Amino acid sequence: MRQRSLIAITAALAAGALTLTACGSRDDDGGSDSGNGGGGTTVVIGVDAPLTGDLSALGLGIKNSADLAAKTANKEKTVDGITFKVEALDDQGQPSVGQQNATKFVANDKVLGVVGPLNSSVGESMQKVFDTAKLVEVSPANTNPALTQGVDWQTKKVRPYKSYFRTATTDAIQGPFAAQYVYNDSKKRKVFVIDDKKTYGAGLAATFTQEFKRLGGKVVGTEHINPDTKDFNAVATKVKNSGADVVYYGGEYPQAGPLSKQIKAAGAKIPLVGGDGIYSADFIKLAGASGNGDLATSVGAPVEELPSAKEFVANYKAAGYKEAYEAYGGYSYDSAWAIIEAVKKVVEANDGKLPSDARAKVVDAMQDVSFDGVTGKVSFDEFGDATNKQLTVYAVENGAWGSVKSGTFTG
């Protein structure tokens, strides 16, 4: 997201249809023993995500999926002499908290990599802290292009931090992909664009708008909302009066659901379209019956098309987590596994032991990590971005998300 290769989780599973019981001993700060390992040296994989609050459905899926990767590595003794342990911190979706968490992870010398965060704005706050400490960070959800390609990414791509990687593709692809679907497939010509002013939402709305206008579409109105409110009646009236035949929202499901509902209530019976930030079962709960026909893009391919993801689903269920893995479970598992693979490279290159400069070595090793993951082929380009650029459009149909088109952006 986030700000968020590649797999999109199917509707029924993303909806939290699995009701499961927790496996492994957990403590109050989100830690887990991650199962029985294969050696005397413990390596901690940190997880930063919103574990409480409006976005906790996604955050808990991220934490659990990373934990499953650690359990699997320990069970299979993937790295001789190393036992992996996951320790999770709650960023509450707030950049300032995320930055504090980054400092805590750096202070624990057993932490050799961090999975997360969910939000691009939180990721932005953590990058320098991790990079200064040479601690690798792999986000399963951040999608703002500037995090890997610099603030001037549209004209000159410069990687700002060597230690930052992600398994999700960026909004430089996601926004235009949505615009092409809306214009070419849905035949919509007049869009009202709304965003939540945050790094992810504003960036995604901007890339959508640029491509929609390039295709010949017209932006008939724009608005920025306060993500702390749930009263969108004023903007809903503006949408109704604009004559728009579609709404594009850059932001996340806690606001998108009520926004969609209130737009329809105002008399604008038009679809709301968003990015991976609204692709959650909770969006459907919040939007209610009026959410039918709304659309979301998400990185990756539908889970039913990926045999590797079916194994992940089965293992997740067997592990007994009480929360669904949601939209970023597959990416989170692959982010954790990328850290595991990098640690393995470092250990094997050092006669089976961790070197004194293990963190820096793991950062270097991550650049060359390549494996067949839950989400497909996982590897990173020169910017630390996922090399898999596939996306999927989902529609709300009869109270559930269903895939309607998969492909890659052709710009």
Side-chain angles (χ1 to χ4, degrees), residues 41-55:
T41 301
T42 297
V43 167
V44 173
I45 297 175
V47 173
D48 179 88
L51 305 179
T52 58
D54 286 346
L55 295 170

Side-chain angles (χ1 to χ4, degrees), residues 108-119:
N108 182 351
D109 59 10
K110 290 186 177 180
V111 177
L112 294 189
V114 176
V115 173
L118 172 70
N119 306 84

